[in-house]
Amino acid sequence: MKFRYAMVCSSNQNRSMEAHNLLKRQGLDVASYGTGSHVKLPGPSLREPNVYDFGTPYKQMFDELRRKDPELYKRNGILQMLKRNLSVKLAPQRWQDNAGDGVFDVVMTFEEKVFDSVLEDLNNREQSLMKTILVMNLEVKDNHEEAAIGGRLALELCQEIEGNESWEDTIDDIVAGFEKQHRRKLVYSISFY
């Protein structure tokens, strides 16, 4: 493994965890995060989401929702998603609180506002190492089906990056090839640690 990857969505539940799971199974060095102020999961209605603090174990969320309404949370896929998540790591983590986790080479986000949050956070950090970091956004709707597709695309993209000696020299070609093959737009920026 040449590079270290971070997968980032809003709540570190669906899109980032699907990608984290796939990359981890393929042996890539990967972590995942969310950028929101809280972790939100669908509830009985749009006005009644289940809200948790980052750091709340996936197992605790799973047990609570299974007690609240097992049929609802099984039917909408939340219990299955949480079961997957707890097999990957203990709890959702917040990107803005991750400085102690070390540096990443590539950060993949799945929503434009998350991309913007990651870049803003990196720009606000002290950039003492002057080490480049590639931040990419692959727009993925926040539902289970799209997360599965987005996770596979993120894996393919990261494997393509991993296959190069230096992403800095090949990123334009990698992005152009990806966009042509998948007809999906990628946005990327380069920042520094």
Side-chain angles (χ1 to χ4, degrees):
M1 292 172 293
K2 296 180 200 149
F3 302 119
R4 190 157 185 246
Y5 301 89
M7 303 293 117
V8 187
C9 66
S10 186
S11 287
N12 197 199
Q13 289 286 348
N14 188 24
R15 297 164 292 179
S16 63
M17 286 301 292
E18 178 67 25
H20 184 164
N21 186 41
L22 291 175
L23 269 71
K24 181 180 174 184
R25 287 197 334 234
Q26 291 299 312
L28 296 173
D29 185 359
V30 63
S32 61
Y33 302 92
T35 58
S37 53
H38 292 92
V39 173
K40 292 181 184 169
L41 292 172
S45 74
L46 285 174
R47 291 194 183 107
E48 302 174 89
N50 292 287
V51 179
Y52 298 94
D53 290 327
F54 279 95
T56 303
Y58 292 118
K59 177 85 167 101
Q60 180 181 331
M61 294 178 208
F62 178 87
D63 291 342
E64 278 182 25
L65 297 181
R66 192 170 57 179
R67 270 194 307 276
K68 276 185 185 179
D69 190 339
E71 287 307 310
L72 169 66
Y73 296 112
K74 187 175 185 179
R75 188 173 61 250
N76 68 10
I78 298 300
L79 291 180
Q80 295 91 313
M81 180 187 74
L82 288 169
K83 196 178 247 187
R84 175 207 59 213
N85 293 356
L86 63 92
S87 75
V88 174
K89 67 181 197 175
L90 177 67
Q93 296 168 275
R94 191 164 183 262
W95 169 262
Q96 294 89 331
D97 303 328
N98 84 346
D101 292 351
V103 297
F104 293 94
D105 299 291
V106 178
V107 175
M108 175 77 64
T109 66
F110 300 96
E111 185 176 346
E112 186 177 358
K113 74 176 186 173
V114 173
F115 177 77
D116 293 341
S117 293
V118 167
L119 286 176
E120 180 182 346
D121 178 68
L122 287 169
N123 290 331
N124 288 333
R125 293 183 186 190
E126 185 180 328
Q127 298 171 341
S128 59
L129 298 176
M130 293 313 288
K131 179 189 182 325
T132 56
I133 179 173
L134 174 64
V135 182
M136 307 183 80
N137 186 62
L138 172 65
E139 202 67 28
V140 176
K141 288 183 183 158
D142 193 5
N143 63 51
H144 300 300
E145 296 78 22
E146 286 295 314
I149 294 166
R152 286 192 301 275
L153 292 174
L155 172 62
E156 182 180 318
L157 191 56
C158 291
Q159 286 174 324
E160 181 74 24
I161 291 167
E162 190 75 15
N164 285 275
E165 207 49 50
S166 170
W167 63 258
E168 291 97 332
D169 298 334
T170 57
I171 191 59
D172 290 332
D173 293 336
I174 291 171
V175 168
F178 181 89
E179 288 179 340
K180 184 177 180 183
Q181 181 180 355
H182 297 289
R183 293 184 176 89
R184 282 187 176 233
K185 184 87 175 122
L186 282 175
V187 177
Y188 74 93
S189 182
I190 296 171
S191 192
F192 296 90
Y193 273 110

